[in-house]
Amino acid sequence: MFSWSDFLGKLSNNILGIVNITNDSFTGDGLLHKSEKIPEIYEAALKLDINFLDIGCVSTKPNFTPISTEDELNRLNTFMRYKNDNYYHSIDSFNPTVAHEALENNFSVVNDISGAKEEKMIETVKRHSSGLIVSHRNQNSLSIHEKINYKDIVKDVKRDLRLQVKNLLNRGVNKNQVAIDLGLGFAKTQEESATLFESIGEFVGEYPLVVGYSRKKFTNLLQASEDELLMHCQNHGVSLVRLHFID
């Protein structure tokens, strides 16, 4: 059975490096048509002492164009040709079929930005006894980018995450498999994401906290350098910081 406490102890630092096998990443760093450069990613990760990589094969930027399961699997298989098993990997996907394929190929964690609401995804995580990063998603939100009118963004996100985790545990996911993500930049205004980032210490506790702020517009409101943003996370006990580390 996967355990976050054990897994985090195997990592060389608390950085989760972002790798996009796409052609339409919002940051322009997609490697779909530059797959020969994937080995260079591992070289860059080694220099930065990163040994945990988050592999995404579909763009989730606002107004993204959905792709078929077949296309997402083909992108994953493109990455698999170069996969280095000296590193740990998570699959950034809300497609249970893609998650299953990744876990079958020794990925350790599913990073589901849709909030792990789909029954098939929950069953996949249970069947493989994998780790799961569950991103915040309001129960009334019909999509990952649908804005919700929050009364108090910090209290409301806390409430939603408690309900999401409770649902997972009620469906048989072990609590040791679960980490939480605030979903910064998803279905929130820039001001709301900035407030959540400033308040991350309030979310550190029973479950490991993953924070992904890298290259998102709301960080402009914080008037902080990249080093200061990272230090803020590390000083407040964040378990993993999801970062772009390649140009």
Side-chain angles (χ1 to χ4, degrees), residues 8-23:
L8 290 170
K10 299 175 183 178
L11 303 184
S12 51
N13 58 39
N14 70 335
I15 304 301
L16 174 55
I18 298 170
V19 180
N20 290 312
I21 311 298
T22 62
N23 61 351

Side-chain angles (χ1 to χ4, degrees), residues 94-119:
F94 46 82
N95 186 315
T97 301
V98 174
H100 168 77
E101 183 67 17
L103 295 172
E104 284 286 300
N105 285 278
N106 296 319
F107 280 58
S108 303
V109 174
V110 175
N111 180 14
D112 185 350
I113 64 164
S114 73
K117 296 178 70 173
E118 188 172 341
E119 186 65 37

Side-chain angles (χ1 to χ4, degrees), residues 19-243:
V19 180
N20 290 312
I21 311 298
T22 62
N23 61 351
D24 56 351
S25 166
F26 82 96
T27 61
D29 63 347
L31 294 171
L32 180 60
H33 301 305
K34 296 179 287 186
S35 60
E36 71 280 358
K37 292 185 176 295
I38 292 175
E40 297 177 17
I41 292 172
Y42 288 110
E43 294 175 11
L46 179 62
K47 290 178 181 178
L48 296 171
D49 202 26
I50 298 171
N51 66 341
F52 186 24
L53 301 178
D54 190 39
I55 313 303
C57 299
V58 59
S59 173
T60 52
K61 64 184 180 181
N63 302 312
F64 70 93
T65 301
I67 64 172
S68 67
T69 297
E70 181 181 6
D71 283 345
E72 191 175 351
L73 284 171
N74 286 338
R75 294 178 180 188
L76 176 61
N77 288 330
T78 295
F79 172 78
M80 290 299 303
R81 292 201 295 270
Y82 301 92
K83 179 173 177 280
N84 185 332
D85 286 332
N86 291 319
Y87 293 74
Y88 298 103
H89 300 84
S90 59
I91 181 68
D92 179 1
S93 181
F94 46 82
N95 186 315
T97 301
V98 174
H100 168 77
E101 183 67 17
L103 295 172
E104 284 286 300
N105 285 278
N106 296 319
F107 280 58
S108 303
V109 174
V110 175
N111 180 14
D112 185 350
I113 64 164
S114 73
K117 296 178 70 173
E118 188 172 341
E119 186 65 37
K120 288 184 179 179
M121 181 64 86
I122 295 172
E123 290 302 317
T124 297
V125 169
K126 288 166 54 179
R127 185 182 316 120
H128 290 274
S129 297
S130 71
L132 173 65
I133 301 172
V134 54
S135 288
H136 166 258
R137 182 172 174 184
N138 183 276
Q139 60 184 339
N140 296 317
S141 178
L142 298 179
S143 73
I144 61 174
H145 286 296
E146 182 187 9
K147 296 282 194 302
I148 298 293
N149 292 321
Y150 294 104
K151 294 181 179 179
D152 182 316
I153 187 63
V154 174
K155 289 182 179 179
D156 291 348
V157 169
K158 279 186 178 180
R159 177 203 63 217
D160 293 341
L161 282 169
R162 280 197 299 268
L163 290 173
Q164 287 176 263
V165 172
K166 181 179 179 181
N167 178 59
L168 291 170
L169 301 186
N170 286 343
R171 294 187 180 189
V173 176
N174 189 289
K175 67 178 299 183
N176 292 323
Q177 294 176 263
V178 178
I180 59 173
D181 185 319
L182 305 183
L184 301 176
F186 289 94
K188 301 169 183 70
T189 66
Q190 291 187 41
E191 291 77 12
E192 288 169 340
S193 289
T195 297
L196 284 171
F197 183 81
E198 292 173 327
S199 306
I200 54 176
E202 297 194 35
F203 293 88
V204 173
E206 188 172 2
Y207 296 93
L209 177 63
V210 181
V211 174
Y213 61 81
S214 184
R215 299 182 184 176
K216 293 181 179 178
K217 289 182 179 179
F218 79 86
T219 57
N220 295 330
L221 301 177
L222 300 170
Q223 298 182 332
S225 68
E226 289 297 318
D227 286 344
E228 288 171 332
L229 294 172
L230 179 57
M231 189 63 68
H232 176 72
C233 292
Q234 293 175 333
N235 286 344
H236 286 85
V238 170
S239 297
L240 284 172
V241 181
R242 189 174 177 273
L243 284 182

